[in-house]
């Protein structure tokens, strides 16, 4: 759901850029405080994996596709602010080198996919008491739907398209895409957990350190 | 922090990087070429043309195709590998910088 240049007016993309600028600044501070040295290699490889996975669109039926967002995944393994930094970096690389997501829309894309999506996944993990298959699936699903809804709101705010039409259409497709997000995230976390990583660094486990 | 924890996370990082590179090189050429959710909505609601009119610049590898390669699958795979390595280095560097500032 990378917004290209041309979909948003100046007031909307400037506003979104201001909000995400503040959020990313806060994320830098929080992650700088809480990230443990042993988590740094994980941070890096999650950036690599999320970039790669975002290239692999899967069909969801009706001639439409979706791809992993990765916000719920990074949140499950490291915490929401680390997820914000990872996703922001990936989005910058995509916009600068691959023309995926507009330069002017970067702030809005960061807000939707790097700030709102991890925050929603984080809230679901907190509400459901940790990172387990069901909460991972729901957190992933909700994170995608929330990012889609935010995208729709921005498009409506910009006067590009009426809210009722774009909100229903965006949320409708992402109800399906979110299922793919949930399945991939569950599988990836299970793979990492089996290797023992999550037990050592899981941000939602009792007795673990601060949420990074 | 236990030594086991450190050893485990050290061991998993290279494996995950290999997995990411494999996804980028081997899966991305097979990705669905259908429009994604937002593109589909923009087509259905009639505002997709706004993007085509407004492209500011097309970047180094537009559409995830490495320039100068005629084979599309190969161009996608190479763009994927380059982007994955870029993302890895950038995020790893950011993590190191953040914790450096802490010391």
């Amino acid at each position: 759901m990378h917004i290209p240049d041309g979909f948003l007016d100046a007031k909307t993309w400037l506003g979104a850029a201001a909000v995400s600028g503040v959020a990313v600044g806060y994320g830098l501070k929080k992650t700088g405080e809480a990230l443990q040295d042993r988590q740094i290699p994980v941070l890096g490889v999650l950036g690599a994996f999320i970039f790669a996975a975002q290239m692999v669109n899967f069909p969801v039926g009706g001639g439409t596709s979706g791809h992993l967002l990765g916000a719920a995944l990074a949140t499950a393994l490291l915490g929401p602010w680390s997820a914000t930094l990872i996703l922001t970096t990936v989005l910058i690389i995509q916009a600068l080198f691959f023309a995926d997501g507009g330069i002017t829309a970067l702030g809005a894309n960061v807000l939707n996919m790097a700030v709102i999506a991890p925050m929603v996944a984080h809230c679901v993990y907190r509400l459901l008491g940790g990172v387990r298959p069901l909460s991972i699936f729901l957190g992933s699903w909700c994170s995608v739907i929330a990012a889609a809804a935010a995208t729709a709101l921005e498009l409506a705010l910009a006067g590009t398209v009426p809210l009722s039409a774009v909100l229903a259409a965006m949320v409708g497709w992402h109800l399906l895409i979110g299922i793919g997000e949930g399945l991939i995230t569950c599988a990836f976390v299970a793979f990492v957990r089996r290797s023992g990583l999550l037990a050592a660094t899981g941000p939602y486990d009792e007795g673990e350190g601060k949420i990074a | 922090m236990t030594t086991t924890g450190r050893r485990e996370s050290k061991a998993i990082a290279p494996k995950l990087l290999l997995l990411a590179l494999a996804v980028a090189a081997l899966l991305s050429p097979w990705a669905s070429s259908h429009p994604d959710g937002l593109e589909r909505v923009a087509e259905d609601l009639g505002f997709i043309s706004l993007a085509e009119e407004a492209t500011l610049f097309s970047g180094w590898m537009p559409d995830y195709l490495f320039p100068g390669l005629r084979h599309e699958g190969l161009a996608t795979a190479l763009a994927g590998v380059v982007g994955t390595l870029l993302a890895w280095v950038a995020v790893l560097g950011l993590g190191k910088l953040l914790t450096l500032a802490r010391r």
Side-chain angles (χ1 to χ4, degrees):
Chain A
M1 65 182 93
H2 294 53
I3 303 172
D5 288 317
F7 278 14
L8 300 178
D9 65 347
K11 111 178 121 34
T12 309
W13 67 253
L14 283 170
V19 176
S20 37
V22 171
V24 170
Y26 189 72
L28 285 167
K29 181 174 166 282
K30 293 292 280 184
T31 306
E33 285 165 9
L35 192 73
Q36 298 164 32
D37 285 347
R38 67 191 165 134
Q39 291 176 311
I40 296 173
V42 181
L43 193 80
V45 293
L46 279 179
F49 180 79
I50 288 169
F51 178 91
Q54 287 204 359
M55 283 184 73
V56 185
N57 283 60
F58 47 82
V60 294
T64 302
S65 72
H67 59 69
L68 185 81
L69 208 174
L73 171 62
T75 302
L77 296 178
L78 293 172
W81 295 113
S82 298
T84 293
L85 298 189
I86 293 170
L87 265 296
T88 300
T89 310
V90 168
L91 287 166
I92 290 171
I93 290 172
Q94 288 168 333
L96 283 183
F97 298 119
F98 298 93
D100 191 12
I103 295 294
T104 57
L106 182 62
N109 284 324
V110 166
L111 181 60
N112 303 332
M113 292 184 267
V115 178
I116 291 172
M119 210 28 76
V120 167
H122 170 68
C123 291
V124 172
Y125 298 154
R126 270 285 157 85
L127 279 172
L128 298 183
V131 173
R132 274 185 284 280
L134 181 67
S135 65
I136 297 170
F137 185 87
L138 285 175
S140 308
W141 195 56
C142 291
S143 72
V144 169
I145 293 163
T151 305
L153 283 176
E154 288 148 15
L155 290 167
L157 202 66
T160 304
V161 65
L163 178 64
S164 55
V166 72
L167 188 64
M170 279 301 285
V171 170
W173 284 113
H174 288 87
L175 289 171
L176 292 175
I177 295 169
I179 295 173
E181 180 89 17
L183 294 176
I184 297 171
T185 308
C186 282
F188 190 91
V189 174
F191 169 73
V192 173
R193 181 172 265 174
R194 216 175 34 153
S195 65
L197 172 79
L198 201 61
T201 61
Y204 295 93
D205 298 330
E206 249 180 287
E208 269 301 325
K210 284 179 276 185
I211 301 271
Chain B
M1 189 203 301
T2 61
T3 35
T4 343
R6 194 187 293 128
R7 201 179 306 129
E8 275 161 358
S9 53
K10 269 217 175 118
I12 184 113
K15 275 188 213 159
L16 290 182
L17 182 62
L18 282 179
L19 177 69
L21 289 170
V23 168
L26 305 176
L27 288 187
S28 71
W30 304 100
S32 167
S33 53
H34 287 310
D36 76 2
L38 175 60
E39 286 163 352
R40 176 59 191 268
V41 169
E43 284 171 13
D44 288 352
L45 300 182
F47 60 93
I48 192 84
S49 59
L50 291 175
E52 284 140 22
E53 290 155 14
T55 307
L56 289 178
F57 83 121
S58 52
W60 178 27
M61 292 179 255
D63 289 323
Y64 296 91
L65 293 169
F66 196 85
L69 285 176
R70 220 174 289 162
H71 189 289
E72 198 180 309
L74 212 60
T76 303
L78 196 54
V81 167
V82 170
T84 300
L85 290 173
L86 264 176
W88 176 56
V89 169
V91 177
L92 192 67
L94 181 63
K96 294 219 186 241
L97 271 178
L98 278 176
T99 46
L100 202 72
R102 186 170 60 193
R103 275 177 208 126

